Amino acid sequence: MTSLTENAIEILRENDRGSYTVPTKGLYPFQWNWDSCLTSLGQRHFDEARAWTEIDTLFAHQWPCGMVPHIVFHKHDDGYFPGPDVWATNRPVPTSGITQPAVAGFALRRLYDLASDKAAAETRVRVLLPKVAAWHRWFYATRDPAGTGLVAILHPWEAGRDNSIDWDTPFDRVPTDGISPYTRRDTQHADPAHRPTKEQYDRYLWLVEHFRGLGWDTTKLHDASPFQVVDPGFNAILIRASADLADLAEGLGETALAAENRAFAARGLAAMEGLWSDAHGQYLCRDRVTGALIDSASIGGLLAAFCAIPSARAQAIAATIDAHGTRFRVASHPPSDPRFDAKRYWRGPVWLVVNYMIADGLARAGAQEAADKITASSLDLIRTSGFAEYYDPMTGEPLGGGRFTWTAAMVLEFLSMEA
């Protein structure tokens, strides 16, 4: 019988397009930002040079302002919407005009720390360090104009959690009128009942067209957006990446870069406390437009464990996950919430990439037993249902795309934790 390791490597190679990897054929035919960074962690188990190339390719399409777009459209493919014509960002190689979670700094450190050829790894990382640092600098300059220490997302797609319940209230401010007619492609590849609704998609497209009308000037988008949300999971990833980049830079003698990123991480970590909810036993999103916390105890507030939160907070998050009571962990929303939907994208299902980051953070905070439970549950899910995009937390039913790249990458990472 083929092992999980062999299956995972086969999927990663199957979705490899030479210098970048697609999440899965059909549904997602291009290069996605945080997918690629997390994919590199799987690739390093069998081809370290290829893992570095995955991130190199992504950053080759970094904007002059420092932003790294969430999609790079390397080749024409009309199987995905919205494509490059809708974004109209006027880049040499077409890209989208928004970003995604800044997990690259974490990936760089992990690839470097675990490299078997340290000299080759140092050569690669020295090229990438200033690029990742420029991205972090861009975040705090354009997405935290008041200097709070936390950045805002301006489009749900930036969080990677496209239709999270977290967005429902602030998303109500986004109009749906006046958008161009469109035909979705995602519902041709996956069950429409498992995907975002048409109303949500209308709002996604309104924001894209609104930002396009501003010429994709990233210095203007924050204040011009009716959707501004401070997501604890998104910020935790940026804080962790900044801390990891600082450690890397310091070890390589880049002291100014190290100091800058250590300051980003320290200020962000202090500000995270303002998102904590004792009632929910986790962090919550803040609607920057109204200033209020959003009453939605989603996985974004559990993912906050990925940065160096206090041990007491990590233990509370572990207890919150236990209280979900699902067969498989970690559900992207608590089943006790009437808005929970076990099969619809980010409104209930389990995602292995988030499991991986939560487990990593909990282990670092001393909650090893909770981390081990997530690792074991994740691998049980794969053995039960294969390498899907996401899963029903109650039944384990595979959902979304199949033979999914970052799921395969996370399996290799989880297996290495168990070894």
Side-chain angles (χ1 to χ4, degrees), residues 318-360:
T320 296
I321 293 170
D322 280 342
H324 282 181
T326 56
R327 178 183 172 193
F328 296 102
R329 57 184 65 193
V330 178
S332 50
H333 208 79
S336 58
D337 189 319
R339 299 169 293 183
F340 170 82
D341 186 333
K343 292 180 168 52
R344 194 180 288 277
Y345 220 38
W346 289 95
R347 302 176 78 86
V350 172
W351 297 73
L352 254 66
V353 288
V354 185
N355 279 9
Y356 170 76
M357 289 186 276
I358 294 173
D360 175 272

Side-chain angles (χ1 to χ4, degrees), residues 236-259:
I237 291 171
L238 179 55
I239 291 165
R240 172 69 179 275
S242 296
D244 283 344
L245 201 73
D247 288 347
L248 256 182
E250 192 168 309
L252 295 173
E254 300 287 348
T255 54
L257 194 154

Side-chain angles (χ1 to χ4, degrees), residues 41 268 287 344 372:
L41 302 182
D287 185 339
R344 194 180 288 277
D372 290 344

Side-chain angles (χ1 to χ4, degrees), residues 7-9 11-13 15-16 21-25 27-28 30-43 45 54 70 100-103 157-162 195 237 303 345-346 350-357 378-379 382 386-391 399-414:
N7 272 331
I9 293 172
I11 290 168
L12 286 166
R13 287 181 164 148
N15 291 327
D16 190 340
T21 310
V22 299
T24 189
K25 59 184 178 181
L27 185 57
Y28 303 112
F30 306 112
Q31 183 179 23
W32 264 258
N33 184 323
W34 72 323
D35 292 68
S36 270
C37 295
L38 293 165
T39 292
S40 72
L41 302 182
Q43 291 169 328
H45 288 273
E54 187 72 23
H70 95 295
Q100 259 187 339
V103 74
W157 289 342
E158 292 196 311
R161 299 186 295 115
D162 299 15
R195 305 292 296 177
I237 291 171
L303 178 54
Y345 220 38
W346 289 95
V350 172
W351 297 73
L352 254 66
V353 288
V354 185
N355 279 9
Y356 170 76
M357 289 186 276
S378 298
L379 292 173
I382 298 299
F387 294 80
E389 183 179 3
Y390 51 101
Y391 306 84
L399 304 165
R403 299 184 66 77
F404 216 80
T405 295
W406 70 3
T407 303
M410 294 303 96
V411 167
L412 294 177
E413 286 284 271
F414 278 128

